Amino acid sequence: MRKARQGGLERLESYLVKLIQEKGSDLDQPFGINLLLHVLKGLSYLFLMVVSIRYFLYRTGLLRRYPLGTQVISIGNVTAGGTGKTPVTEIFARTLAAEGRKVAILSRGYRRKEAPWWQRLFTQVIEKPLVVSDGRRVLLDSATGGDEPYMLASNLPGVAVVVDRNRVKAGRYAVNRLGCDTLILDDGFQYQKLKHSIEVVLVDSTNPFGNGNLLPRGILREPVRNLKRADIIFLTKCRGDVSAVKEEIRRYNTTAEIVECNHTPKVMKDVWSREEFPLDWLRDKTVCTLSGIASPKGFENSLRHLGAKVVWCERYADHHRYDASEVLYALNRTADMGADALVTTEKDAVRFPRLETAPVKCLYLRIAIEILVGGESFTQLINRICFRKST
């Protein structure tokens, strides 16, 4: 019963996400959907009012921003989901750690397992943050710490990962208990309680601002004009001419450096053994996919670009927590279709339950950020964080 209810909620969530991403006229929809869209549009105006009041309170000092006496690099966006924050967070953390900084990533731990809200209400102040990694070893799994924090902790030895809804508390813990001198605030553009030193904002070049509406009618978390707060803008998923998107960005921010980058496949890995397969392995292979991410089409198309024939795609809602029966169903379906492998994303792989045997290979695609244009701007920013002069 619980699983059926969860599945129903995820289907509703997926439908609503698809609906708010529509860019056509509301008049093109059936009456019932048109009515729902008008309700969502009204709610988006209410959301705008709440967002505007909140920023006014922080801007005037009626709500306090807390400084922590160290560098705080905020990495975020103005839209909900799908811009590729995790690989950008990773390249910042990896580069800064290589330059000698003691780095901690502060995350909310979206959709991790938590106590009920009424218990958190009385314990969140006194409980210490969750340490997914102390910089030496990974201490928590993805269910407890969250998908992205666990993935970052696994890929970034030497970097601490601390999870708490209250990122001020998490930052203090990282500085005072873990000895960190540089904090990366994951998904931090809207988190104003912690004072930011540098504002990094991501914009998806393939879908920069959705249909232009705020949540819940569109995908905007705040008005596009708030891009003016950005110090540097990472334009992600750049696979062609992005001049029109850059021109639109310049309407709101004329001074921020713009770095063009792409999410580039690096290697294939077995979900459980972590055995590596070169990307060439995919050429002329027949594969099926299993994913629960915000933008599955991009992942599926990347496999096609690598030469694979994708014959079946199973999609779940973003951050779906898999059980063994769902993974086994996908593996068996892959085997029945005579495909060479079931391929998933790295974010999904951390949510897979452990299986002793599988009827077919189960691989995940490891993605990393490749800077195409503006590498010197990124280097200058790293130098600025490390208090070094550019050469």
Side-chain angles (χ1 to χ4, degrees):
M1 177 66 74
R2 185 187 65 83
K3 197 68 182 178
R5 185 168 60 251
Q6 179 185 356
L9 290 173
E10 286 191 355
R11 285 191 293 273
L12 176 61
E13 177 186 342
S14 297
Y15 175 75
L16 290 174
V17 168
K18 182 179 179 180
L19 193 63
I20 68 175
Q21 290 176 339
E22 292 288 342
K23 295 184 180 181
S25 170
D26 293 354
L27 299 176
D28 298 333
Q29 303 289 349
F31 174 77
I33 301 300
N34 192 19
L35 179 62
L36 173 60
L37 292 176
H38 276 78
V39 171
L40 295 177
K41 183 78 169 181
L43 291 174
S44 71
Y45 287 120
L46 179 62
F47 184 74
L48 172 61
M49 182 175 66
V50 172
V51 168
S52 300
I53 291 172
R54 179 173 174 271
Y55 277 116
F56 172 79
L57 293 175
Y58 275 111
R59 192 167 57 250
T60 57
L62 294 173
L63 287 178
R64 182 183 175 188
R65 291 188 177 103
Y66 291 84
L68 294 182
T70 190
Q71 290 273 7
V72 178
I73 301 99
S74 166
I75 299 177
N77 51 30
V78 294
T79 57
T83 57
K85 287 190 302 297
T86 303
V88 174
T89 300
E90 184 175 326
I91 194 175
F92 266 91
R94 190 184 302 280
T95 306
L96 288 167
E99 294 294 337
R101 307 295 290 186
K102 180 65 175 174
V103 180
I105 297 171
L106 311 181
S107 175
R108 175 189 171 189
Y110 183 61
R111 289 200 179 181
R112 63 184 174 85
K113 286 184 179 178
E114 294 185 275
W117 67 269
W118 59 87
Q119 293 182 19
R120 298 199 307 268
L121 186 65
F122 297 103
T123 61
Q124 62 178 348
V125 175
I126 59 174
E127 282 187 345
K128 71 177 185 179
L130 295 177
V131 181
V132 182
S133 170
D134 60 4
R136 296 185 300 274
R137 60 194 186 282
V138 179
L139 303 172
L140 299 175
D141 60 17
S142 66
T144 306
D147 303 338
E148 286 90 348
Y150 176 79
M151 193 173 81
L152 289 165
S154 300
N155 291 330
L156 293 168
V159 174
V161 182
V162 184
V163 168
D164 200 287
R165 287 173 177 265
N166 184 341
R167 261 69 63 84
V168 175
K169 181 173 68 172
R172 284 174 177 156
Y173 188 92
V175 171
N176 297 330
R177 300 292 295 275
L178 302 180
C180 297
D181 57 26
T182 307
L183 305 177
I184 296 178
L185 182 58
D186 182 39
D187 198 13
F189 195 52
Q190 287 76 39
Y191 193 81
Q192 295 293 301
K193 188 175 180 180
L194 178 58
K195 189 173 182 180
H196 307 167
S197 308
I198 295 170
E199 204 76 75
V200 182
V201 180
L202 277 59
V203 175
D204 178 355
S205 67
T206 64
N207 184 28
F209 310 117
N211 56 28
N213 291 297
L214 269 70
L215 293 166
R217 178 59 187 92
I219 61 173
L220 288 172
R221 293 176 169 184
E222 55 186 284
V224 182
R225 62 176 178 270
N226 288 358
L227 279 176
K228 63 187 177 184
R229 302 203 312 269
D231 297 303
I232 187 167
I233 295 172
F234 271 64
L235 193 55
T236 64
K237 305 179 186 178
C238 296
R239 302 184 184 96
D241 183 13
V242 296
S243 56
V245 181
K246 291 173 70 174
E247 185 177 338
E248 186 173 6
I249 288 171
R250 286 302 183 209
R251 291 172 51 196
Y252 307 103
N253 190 318
T254 59
T255 59
E257 297 290 339
I258 297 178
V259 175
E260 298 175 33
C261 60
N262 195 17
H263 293 67
T264 304
K266 292 298 182 183
V267 71
M268 305 283 295
K269 288 189 177 185
D270 186 279
V271 168
W272 295 292
S273 72
R274 295 300 192 262
E275 178 186 358
E276 292 192 359
F277 295 80
L279 296 177
D280 286 345
W281 183 90
L282 278 170
R283 189 167 301 281
D284 299 323
K285 291 290 196 302
T286 301
V287 302
C288 299
T289 67
L290 176 62
S291 62
I293 55 176
S295 303
K297 285 185 179 179
F299 157 63
E300 294 154 9
N301 286 335
S302 67
L303 298 178
R304 295 184 179 100
H305 292 153
L306 290 168
K309 181 181 180 183
V310 182
V311 295
W312 178 70
C313 301
E314 180 78 330
R315 299 172 179 173
Y316 289 92
D318 194 16
H319 291 274
H320 175 78
R321 184 66 55 183
Y322 298 95
D323 63 24
S325 65
E326 292 166 337
V327 178
L328 280 171
Y329 170 76
L331 286 166
N332 289 329
R333 180 73 182 270
T334 302
D336 292 344
M337 296 182 75
D340 297 290
L342 176 68
V343 184
T344 189
T345 72
E346 188 173 9
K347 281 188 178 182
D348 286 291
V350 302
R351 288 179 259 129
F352 277 23
R354 180 78 189 181
L355 298 180
E356 296 301 323
T357 60
V360 69
K361 281 185 174 64
C362 187
L363 310 175
Y364 71 83
L365 186 63
R366 172 97 169 104
I367 299 290
I369 280 292
E370 178 184 8
I371 294 178
L372 305 175
V373 178
E376 63 283 354
S377 297
F378 176 69
T379 300
Q380 289 170 5
L381 180 60
I382 295 298
N383 289 337
R384 174 180 163 189
I385 295 168
C386 296
F387 305 106
R388 288 205 316 263
K389 292 182 178 179
S390 299
T391 56

